Amino acid sequence: MIRVFLYGTTFGTRINTWGFPPLDSHYHKYTARHWASMLLAYGSTGIFYETYYSYISSARMGDYFAESLVGNNSDDFDRPRSNDYGLYDTIVSLGKRLKGCLGKLLIKLEFSEEESYIYNNWQRGREQKSINPTKLKIFGEGIPEYPNNRFLNLGITRLHPKGSSNLTGDYYFLLNQITFDNFSWNPEVISTYNSLHVGINVSVFRNWRFYDIEGGDDFKFVKLNNHTGSDFTAIIPIGKGDGRLFRLIPTAASTGTFLTDEVLPSGETISSEGTITVQDGNNT
């Protein structure tokens, strides 16, 4: 079990806001979710949150409210909030996801040393980098361009099955590292951008699936022949601070409908996980 302390990054960090913060401020939701998602993207198997109680703290500029998992103010610092604004609710929602299919898969996966990211820096420039890219990329030739007047901080890692698991397919953790709604430091940027642009290249099989394992986006596409670009491109929305685990797998090994003829290579054996529908005129 890897224990990761988030104190000092997730809690008590309401910059330039002294006294009691407004209840409609969502910074803590994005930040708590962001740090948890980023750790999961790199194969962490456990997260330890600190601190539990909110408290009043002092600084040179005056007292301020350090918000933690529970508590609105100094009077009810030890109780979960009665509304949906709060770190407690965010952590509960993450816990539910980790008890479901997301957590069951992540425990069987590990970081593959492959990652790509693209982001705006505070000097108003845009930077991008890929390390050991294979089937999937998020910027470059053939990928839809990101708008120039939007602030973005997006990335992707590939997780592969551990040797002890019997998982098949490739797994990609898509991550949005933005943790704020508005800013005023750059008048040329009008708002944040919360969509990841992906391009996928595949081989061997013709029919493929790329889907969010928790439900939602489910893309089916066909491998192209004699092409120079990606077999498939998409613009995938990712909420602020959120991470989503996607799986890339041949349709023949998964479930769904063939979009075109599928001919298995000689000597290839493949087992489907559910019902495969073959359209009229298709061969298998």
Side-chain angles (χ1 to χ4, degrees):
M1 175 69 71
I2 301 174
R3 289 188 174 183
V4 182
F5 288 83
L6 302 185
Y7 180 77
T9 53
T10 300
F11 307 114
T13 55
R14 193 158 300 196
I15 300 173
N16 295 330
T17 302
W18 302 95
F20 295 102
L23 293 181
D24 61 352
S25 177
H26 290 256
Y27 91 102
H28 48 273
K29 280 189 175 183
Y30 304 145
T31 307
R33 189 166 56 202
H34 153 63
W35 283 108
S37 297
M38 188 165 68
L39 292 165
L40 296 173
Y42 286 90
S44 174
T45 58
I47 301 169
F48 184 88
Y49 287 94
E50 191 183 47
T51 59
Y52 185 76
Y53 298 120
S54 297
Y55 57 93
I56 300 295
S57 189
S58 299
R60 181 173 54 85
M61 297 176 64
D63 293 344
Y64 66 94
F65 183 68
E67 183 174 4
S68 298
L69 280 178
V70 297
N72 285 328
N73 52 53
S74 59
D75 296 326
D76 60 357
F77 67 93
D78 58 348
R79 294 191 295 272
R81 292 179 177 226
S82 58
N83 52 43
D84 66 345
Y85 303 118
L87 290 166
Y88 183 86
D89 307 277
T90 301
I91 303 309
V92 167
S93 67
L94 287 171
K96 290 179 179 178
R97 292 176 64 190
L98 292 175
K99 287 182 179 180
C101 59
L102 176 63
K104 292 176 182 179
L105 273 176
L106 285 174
I107 199 68
K108 299 178 182 179
L109 302 172
E110 58 188 2
F111 181 43
S112 69
E113 308 296 331
E114 298 179 28
E115 60 182 312
S116 296
Y117 44 89
I118 179 169
Y119 63 95
N120 283 60
N121 59 39
W122 298 110
Q123 290 72 42
R124 305 186 183 186
R126 181 165 291 176
E127 300 187 21
Q128 56 194 40
K129 187 174 183 179
S130 284
I131 300 173
N132 303 322
T134 55
K135 297 184 178 79
L136 191 144
K137 58 183 180 179
I138 61 172
F139 57 82
E141 185 178 357
I143 305 299
E145 291 189 8
Y146 295 89
N148 291 326
N149 62 342
R150 304 285 287 276
F151 187 95
L152 53 92
N153 190 353
L154 306 161
I156 186 168
T157 62
R158 187 171 78 86
L159 302 173
H160 57 206
K162 295 179 180 178
S164 58
S165 76
N166 59 356
L167 295 179
T168 57
D170 287 312
Y171 294 84
Y172 294 90
F173 202 96
L174 281 59
L175 177 65
N176 182 355
Q177 300 187 77
I178 293 175
T179 59
F180 52 87
D181 282 321
N182 302 302
F183 51 89
S184 59
W185 59 271
N186 187 351
E188 298 174 5
V189 177
I190 59 174
S191 63
T192 58
Y193 188 71
N194 304 296
S195 294
L196 194 64
H197 298 188
V198 302
I200 304 176
N201 287 96
V202 294
S203 60
V204 183
F205 298 97
R206 299 189 66 189
N207 294 273
W208 288 81
R209 259 187 100 193
F210 185 66
Y211 67 97
D212 184 338
I213 61 98
E214 296 180 90
D217 290 313
D218 188 350
F219 304 101
K220 289 90 170 174
F221 65 95
V222 174
K223 179 185 181 301
L224 303 178
N225 294 317
N226 300 320
H227 71 286
T228 57
S230 299
D231 291 296
F232 174 76
T233 60
I235 298 176
I236 302 176
I238 303 288
K240 293 182 179 68
D242 198 10
R244 309 295 299 182
L245 182 64
F246 278 70
R247 186 189 190 200
L248 175 64
I249 189 170
T251 303
S254 181
T255 183
T257 302
F258 284 158
L259 301 179
T260 189
D261 293 352
E262 185 70 75
V263 179
L264 298 184
S266 177
E268 184 76 39
T269 301
I270 193 167
S271 298
S272 64
E273 298 171 334
T275 301
I276 300 296
T277 302
V278 181
Q279 297 180 359
D280 291 342
N282 282 10
N283 300 315
T284 60

